Amino acid sequence: MRNPTHFLTALLFSSICFSQEGNSTEVQQDTTEIVPKKIYVTKAIENEEPPSVDGLLNDEAWGLVEWTGDYIENQPDENTPPSYQTKFKIVYDSKNLYIGVRCYDAEPDKIIRRMSRRDGFEGDWVEFNIDSYHDKRTAFSFTVTAAGVKGDEFVSNNGNNWDGSWNPIWYTKTNIDDEGWTAELKIPLSQLKFSGAENQVWGLQSTRRFFRAEERSLWQRKPIDQPGWVSEFGELHGLRNMEPQKQLEIQPYTVASGETYEAEEGNPFRDGSDTDIAVGLDAKIGITNDLTLDLTVNPDFGQVEADPSAIALDGFQIFFREQRPFFVENKNIFDFNVSQSEAGNTFGFDNVFYSRRIGRSPQGFPDTNDGDFVDIPDNTQILGAAKFSGKTKNGWAIGVLESVTAKKYATIANDGDRRREVVEPLTNYFVGRAQKDFNERNSFIGGIFTATNRADLTQNLNFLHESAYTGGLDFKHQWNNRDWYLGGNIILSHVQGSEEAITHTQNSITRLFQRIDADHVEVDEGRTSLTGTGGNLQIGKVGNGHWRFESGGTWRSPELELNDIGFQRQADDIRHYTWVGYQTLKPDSTFRRVGINYNHWSAWDFAGNHNELRFNTNTWQNWANNWFSNIGFNYAPVQFSNFALRGGPRLRRTPEVSFWNSIGTDGRKKLRFNFFHNGRRALDNSIRRYSVEFGFRYQPIDALRISVFPEYSINNDKLQYIDNIDTDLGIRYLNGEIEQRTLSMSVRFNFNINPNLTVQYWGQPFISRGRYSNFKHVDNATARNFEDRFLQYEANQVTFSDDNYAIDENLDGVTDFSFGDPDFSFVQFRSNLVLRWEYIPGSEVFLVWSQDVSQSGNPSEGLFTSLGDNILGQTPQNIFLLKATYRFVL
């Protein structure tokens, strides 16, 4: 199956035939309920004073309009009266939109006022979603809790994406009285996007969370089985002569930092402490009311929480989520997932744009000699970045990102002499993204283009691409009231560089062209470019009834390369997937909601080798007492890996079974427990893995929350890759039996003095230890029986001395090859303590203390012993930051 076209054409044909048959049935049995749209008519404030935002609802301006209410329950029992009603009013003037809301409650002393940071959504709250373009796909969400904590999110893709990094400037206050609680919201029009039409209609929705019953009620009813969110909003009328506001905000910052660590004798770069002071600037400029230009100069992300510790033995890169505010905001516009699906198991993290490539750790390492001390920067400095993004009233979603990262040097010192070598070149990153809605917002078509260009690559950096370009097209079409959809994308990548760079790309674990039994690919050491394709095609049903499904196919050609500015785990893959799900729509005496799913996946490479077949069934439950649980099972009768031997032959993996299961107690309780475990076992016992995580969250008072989650995992694999070694007897694909144990614990502490002054702590001790034995080399990689796939070395063939193993394979008294002791013990402790004070809306002070201890432990010791020896009593790396920002709104 060298060409995926025939496979995907057949898949699409069968899927369309299935959808047409299913759609015919749906038309004949269509029970889609038409829910009338509610309309609220607002008025402008002309002669009255605007409401003062104090939460009391006693201003004369509120008398201009009528109350609206009649909320209807959405969860857990859709289309029934809620426990208590809610009502609101909306007025506006030339600069602001004002919302006053009353949440009735017969027992006001029981209203839950849990504190949190912004976007915490704890306790009782009420939310307003405003589709000010009335495009039925995007909205601005404003939430206020009974404790007065603000939450705000940008909603896109008709409710499938909620971006909590959007932090507009707005104002709110709450109050509790004998009838329940009230809130007032003041939203500057500069924070919204809308057209310049004389008379406007906006989409409007409001949600109330009644905490004691874990109940959601809506102003505009939305049936559970109705797909979409923004498209189902009610309408806000009465908006006249409103002038779109151009946003202009400038936010300079200053950060002072100090670092302490254990001094290293003789090392001029590790004298025990460093200090620094830096300044930078962020700006948000409204080019039009639709489109915003975000700028950052010398950005600082020191207050961002560190990544959790992780070790991967399969050789593939680990995906970490983006946490830096500049890149997170409006991230949804730039997303271009290669093959995300409801079924999963399709490398769903793969994305044409992965912002963590910008500002990454330097990729090079200098040439050194004995006695050299080296200082390499932890990250590549972002000199500046600009992001132009937004959604127009005509249905265009536009995103353009341009960033330049600095040339970075390593400094090498030896006996007073110093020299510098480049470890990261000056690099320019560009991303352009556009989507256009049409067909009454039921369809869209879009595209993306990315470019990475590196300047003046030195000899030690010639493994990097000089340039990398990616282009892609995507589309989605929905019909039958958005119950059905057909979507997909196609991607083209092209990288250029030296012969060394392209050879390195061909040999990388993402593609492994040097595989000895792969006759459809080969390494060409004379190439200076590589061009590949990828894509995804899927069809599904998500609404109108209990049943849902999705089926599709995805491919990545052997030459596809996205990792200069994207994220891609592997190439040379063609994959089919199908998901079918059933969900309940009404609660009963046992469950609030239940879902049951079936999935299967099948994968081939471009030579037509069938590499995987996997079946899954799983179910999730929301119990009547508001506990949550799920359980799932996998069976994989066919498993081969092109990557396990890192360029060696395709390796058969034994059929296996696996499971996962989790249980969570009622999230409303002050003390909540969660338990999760999963396991995997080969039918011949060649692989045994098990992981368990158990922890609690405790909130003794509204202002304080503590959580502790320890995790322990076991990995026993009788065929764990070690190395490929070229010997006089031929290449030995060296493997061993590993016994790996990993122990970690995530601890969080959140203290909220008030909604704008918070203290947060996160800490994680981590240890992973691996011990190897029973060394062997693979000589019959696709043999059906596990023991026939390799030759295991006997005790008289193996000698261990000075941390090295020597192998005398033919027992002639001469060492045939040797290798270093692969046993490992990695110990790490990371923590962040952050005090955040938003002293005026949009302006903040951060005080940060970060710690890091990273050590190599003794693999022969126990986990707790090694953890204690390498963390307790060690001198940690301490980083102290004081960062202050001021947000000018012009």
Side-chain angles (χ1 to χ4, degrees):
M1 197 177 296
R2 298 171 186 269
N3 190 329
T5 307
H6 298 152
F7 169 79
L8 290 172
T9 302
L11 171 65
L12 177 61
F13 177 76
S14 62
S15 298
I16 291 177
C17 289
F18 177 78
S19 71
Q20 289 175 339
E21 180 181 351
N23 195 32
S24 175
T25 303
E26 288 293 321
V27 170
Q28 295 173 14
Q29 301 177 1
D30 188 7
T31 59
T32 302
E33 186 175 0
I34 304 300
V35 179
K37 296 286 187 182
K38 297 179 75 171
I39 295 174
Y40 181 74
V41 181
T42 182
K43 290 184 179 179
I45 300 171
E46 296 178 348
N47 300 317
E48 294 80 2
E49 287 292 322
S52 58
V53 182
D54 53 17
L56 298 179
L57 299 177
N58 56 6
D59 303 277
E60 291 185 4
W62 294 122
L64 293 172
V65 292
E66 300 296 325
W67 289 102
T68 184
D70 296 325
Y71 281 49
I72 194 75
E73 186 172 319
N74 181 258
Q75 298 177 27
D77 194 0
E78 201 274 321
N79 199 25
T80 60
S83 298
Y84 295 105
Q85 267 299 334
T86 309
K87 62 182 184 181
F88 65 84
K89 293 183 175 184
I90 299 178
V91 294
Y92 68 97
D93 59 22
S94 61
K95 295 295 183 181
N96 302 288
L97 189 76
Y98 303 88
I99 303 176
V101 57
R102 169 166 289 283
C103 301
Y104 288 99
D105 194 324
E107 300 176 284
D109 57 319
K110 294 184 179 180
I111 293 171
I112 304 301
R113 291 178 285 176
R114 290 183 180 169
M115 297 290 290
S116 70
R117 275 188 62 169
R118 187 171 188 157
D119 299 331
F121 306 107
E122 298 285 342
D124 283 280
W125 51 255
V126 65
E127 176 179 282
F128 290 88
N129 297 165
I130 300 171
D131 175 11
S132 48
Y133 273 138
H134 207 210
D135 64 6
K136 301 183 181 182
R137 284 181 54 83
T138 60
F140 303 94
S141 178
F142 302 88
T143 305
V144 57
T145 74
V149 178
K150 292 191 292 188
D152 30 55
E153 297 166 291
F154 179 69
V155 186
S156 61
N157 196 15
N158 200 8
N160 288 323
N161 290 315
W162 293 70
D163 181 3
S165 68
W166 180 62
N167 288 328
I169 294 177
W170 59 289
Y171 309 86
T172 186
K173 289 288 185 180
T174 60
N175 181 62
I176 292 180
D177 56 27
D178 292 340
E179 294 184 283
W181 66 282
T182 56
E184 288 181 310
L185 293 77
K186 175 184 173 182
I187 303 170
L189 296 179
S190 62
Q191 308 300 301
L192 301 174
K193 311 295 182 185
F194 52 91
S195 70
E198 181 178 352
N199 294 311
Q200 298 193 35
V201 174
W202 292 359
L204 179 66
Q205 179 63 290
S206 177
T207 306
R208 178 184 174 183
R209 180 193 192 187
F210 178 53
F211 184 84
R212 298 197 300 279
E214 192 54 286
E215 175 187 287
R216 304 289 196 278
S217 57
L218 303 178
W219 175 67
Q220 170 67 57
R221 183 192 165 208
K222 178 195 173 298
I224 291 290
D225 62 339
Q226 174 63 49
W229 175 250
V230 182
S231 58
E232 310 311 306
F233 284 4
E235 294 181 352
L236 176 62
H237 290 207
L239 300 165
R240 296 185 175 86
N241 302 314
M242 297 180 68
E243 294 186 8
Q245 310 289 308
K246 291 184 179 180
Q247 193 174 12
L248 179 56
E249 300 171 10
I250 299 175
Q251 188 175 44
Y253 82 82
T254 302
V255 59
S257 64
E259 184 176 351
T260 66
Y261 46 84
E262 185 174 9
E264 184 179 334
E265 185 177 354
N267 188 342
F269 307 118
R270 302 286 294 177
D271 60 2
S273 65
D274 293 307
T275 59
D276 191 22
I277 188 166
V279 296
L281 179 72
D282 296 319
K284 191 179 292 288
I285 303 170
I287 305 301
T288 67
N289 180 251
D290 308 314
L291 302 169
T292 302
L293 177 64
D294 291 273
L295 300 173
T296 184
V297 179
N298 191 29
D300 171 74
F301 305 115
Q303 76 278 15
V304 173
E305 186 175 289
D307 294 320
S309 304
I311 286 181
L313 296 180
D314 60 6
F316 291 104
Q317 58 186 321
I318 300 173
F319 180 87
F320 291 109
R321 66 184 178 89
E322 178 62 86
Q323 302 183 85
R324 299 171 295 177
F326 177 82
F327 294 107
V328 171
E329 186 174 358
N330 276 352
K331 175 180 178 292
N332 60 284
I333 289 180
F334 294 91
D335 267 345
F336 197 104
N337 291 99
V338 179
S339 54
Q340 199 169 56
S341 76
E342 293 288 344
N345 206 36
T346 57
F347 309 109
F349 285 124
D350 284 7
N351 205 303
V352 172
F353 176 49
Y354 180 48
S355 57
R356 292 191 61 138
R357 303 296 186 203
I358 303 174
R360 67 196 304 171
S361 299
Q363 300 171 78
F365 193 86
D367 293 327
T368 58
N369 302 308
D370 291 341
D372 284 349
F373 294 98
V374 181
D375 181 32
I376 300 179
D378 293 329
N379 297 291
T380 304
Q381 181 185 7
I382 300 174
L383 297 176
K387 182 170 60 177
F388 179 69
S389 59
K391 181 77 180 282
T392 74
K393 61 181 179 295
N394 296 322
W396 281 99
I398 298 172
V400 178
L401 186 145
E402 170 74 19
S403 180
V404 178
T405 59
K407 178 186 288 189
K408 301 302 290 184
Y409 295 87
T411 304
I412 303 98
N414 190 328
D415 196 24
D417 296 328
R418 293 198 176 196
R419 69 182 191 277
R420 297 200 308 168
E421 291 188 21
V422 179
V423 289
E424 184 73 20
L426 180 72
T427 306
N428 183 86
Y429 298 95
F430 173 85
V431 183
R433 180 78 162 109
Q435 278 188 339
K436 177 65 171 70
D437 300 337
F438 60 97
N439 188 29
E440 298 182 349
R441 313 292 180 175
N442 290 317
S443 306
F444 74 77
I445 186 168
I448 191 170
F449 175 76
T450 72
T452 304
N453 289 282
R454 300 182 174 93
D456 301 326
L457 292 176
T458 56
Q459 185 64 31
N460 68 320
L461 293 177
N462 64 3
F463 64 91
L464 297 176
H465 301 137
E466 294 173 1
S467 59
Y469 305 102
T470 304
L473 297 173
D474 62 342
F475 76 96
K476 187 173 185 178
H477 170 60
Q478 302 171 100
W479 70 95
N480 198 33
N481 199 28
R482 290 173 294 279
D483 293 339
W484 287 80
Y485 63 89
L486 175 69
N489 61 62
I490 186 169
I491 299 163
L492 178 70
S493 71
H494 180 74
V495 295
Q496 294 177 321
S498 65
E499 293 179 356
E500 291 83 359
I502 301 304
T503 299
H504 178 267
T505 302
Q506 295 174 82
N507 290 333
S508 70
I509 193 171
T510 303
R511 48 195 52 79
L512 296 175
F513 281 12
Q514 70 272 33
R515 301 196 309 268
I516 63 170
D517 59 350
D519 58 3
H520 65 296
V521 292
E522 62 179 355
V523 177
D524 182 350
E525 296 184 353
R527 296 188 69 168
T528 56
S529 66
L530 207 63
T531 302
T533 66
N536 187 38
L537 189 63
Q538 58 189 204
I539 188 169
K541 174 185 179 293
V542 292
N544 188 21
H546 297 277
W547 291 96
R548 300 177 295 164
F549 95 97
E550 181 178 88
S551 185
T554 178
W555 85 92
R556 292 159 176 77
S557 78
E559 299 82 9
L560 183 70
E561 173 55 60
L562 305 177
N563 284 315
D564 287 272
I565 195 174
F567 186 92
Q568 177 190 352
R569 278 181 63 88
Q570 71 180 54
D572 196 5
D573 187 87
I574 305 170
R575 192 164 294 238
H576 163 65
Y577 53 87
T578 292
W579 164 77
V580 179
Y582 175 88
Q583 61 175 347
T584 60
L585 303 178
K586 282 287 186 178
D588 56 32
S589 59
T590 305
F591 299 107
R592 293 163 68 103
R593 294 282 302 281
V594 175
I596 303 172
N597 301 296
Y598 162 82
N599 306 270
H600 71 251
W601 311 270
S602 205
W604 299 260
D605 62 27
F606 272 60
N609 296 310
H610 191 195
N611 287 332
E612 183 177 20
L613 177 62
R614 186 178 295 263
F615 301 93
N616 164 262
T617 183
N618 65 83
T619 177
W620 54 266
Q621 306 84 31
N622 180 195
W623 299 77
N625 61 0
N626 206 42
W627 284 39
F628 288 85
S629 61
N630 66 34
I631 189 168
F633 298 93
N634 288 310
Y635 173 56
V638 177
Q639 289 193 111
F640 290 84
S641 174
N642 289 338
F643 303 90
L645 298 181
R646 313 293 203 275
R650 177 170 172 257
L651 179 66
R652 181 191 290 270
R653 292 292 197 184
T654 304
E656 67 176 33
V657 293
S658 58
F659 80 95
W660 73 89
N661 169 236
S662 69
I663 300 172
T665 63
D666 189 347
R668 297 169 298 168
K669 304 298 183 183
K670 291 192 172 184
L671 181 61
R672 294 160 277 176
F673 293 93
N674 290 87
F675 172 79
F676 173 77
H677 66 139
N678 65 82
R680 173 185 171 192
R681 188 185 188 99
L683 298 186
D684 59 11
N685 212 32
S686 58
I687 294 178
R688 289 182 295 114
R689 294 176 183 168
Y690 180 74
S691 177
V692 59
E693 181 182 26
F694 176 81
F696 68 89
R697 293 180 176 88
Y698 181 48
Q699 190 150 9
I701 58 175
D702 286 339
L704 177 64
R705 185 169 69 253
I706 303 166
S707 67
V708 179
F709 281 86
E711 182 176 0
Y712 178 68
S713 64
I714 297 171
N715 172 28
N716 293 333
D717 191 339
K718 294 181 179 180
L719 205 60
Q720 173 62 53
Y721 174 82
I722 298 175
D723 200 0
N724 293 341
I725 303 175
D726 196 357
T727 76
D728 291 338
L729 303 175
I731 296 179
R732 293 298 180 249
Y733 303 104
L734 184 66
N735 283 249
E737 180 174 347
I738 188 174
E739 292 186 357
Q740 182 186 9
R741 304 292 183 267
T742 302
L743 177 65
S744 66
M745 183 169 67
S746 179
V747 178
R748 292 186 183 273
F749 171 95
N750 297 277
F751 183 61
N752 303 276
I753 300 167
N754 61 51
N756 300 314
L757 181 58
T758 61
V759 179
Q760 289 187 305
Y761 173 82
W762 169 81
Q764 184 194 54
F766 174 91
I767 180 170
S768 186
R769 183 203 68 203
R771 297 172 181 168
Y772 287 80
S773 61
N774 297 326
F775 299 108
K776 61 204 71 173
H777 77 259
V778 175
D779 61 351
N780 189 8
T782 58
R784 182 168 296 277
N785 294 323
F786 177 70
E787 291 78 8
D788 295 336
R789 295 173 203 159
F790 53 83
L791 174 66
Q792 182 165 314
Y793 296 118
E794 303 298 334
N796 59 349
Q797 296 174 290
V798 182
T799 304
F800 181 72
S801 177
D802 297 328
D803 291 329
N804 278 277
Y805 285 94
I807 304 295
D808 180 7
E809 186 173 319
N810 54 15
L811 295 176
D812 61 357
V814 178
T815 297
D816 294 305
F817 65 94
S818 62
F819 58 94
D821 185 0
D823 289 359
F824 64 87
S825 178
F826 176 72
V827 184
Q828 190 170 65
F829 174 75
R830 287 181 169 179
S831 68
N832 283 73
L833 178 64
V834 180
L835 184 147
R836 172 187 173 272
W837 177 32
E838 188 176 8
Y839 55 95
I840 59 174
S843 301
E844 300 169 315
V845 171
F846 292 93
L847 181 60
V848 183
W849 175 27
S850 297
Q851 279 195 319
D852 189 342
V853 178
S854 298
Q855 301 279 344
S856 293
N858 186 348
S860 64
E861 292 182 345
L863 287 180
F864 286 102
T865 300
S866 190
L867 192 65
D869 290 346
N870 290 280
I871 292 181
L872 301 176
Q874 300 293 326
T875 301
Q877 179 185 28
N878 292 284
I879 299 175
F880 301 92
L881 296 174
L882 176 60
K883 180 178 181 179
T885 70
Y886 188 85
R887 196 170 183 178
F888 294 93
V889 181
L890 305 176

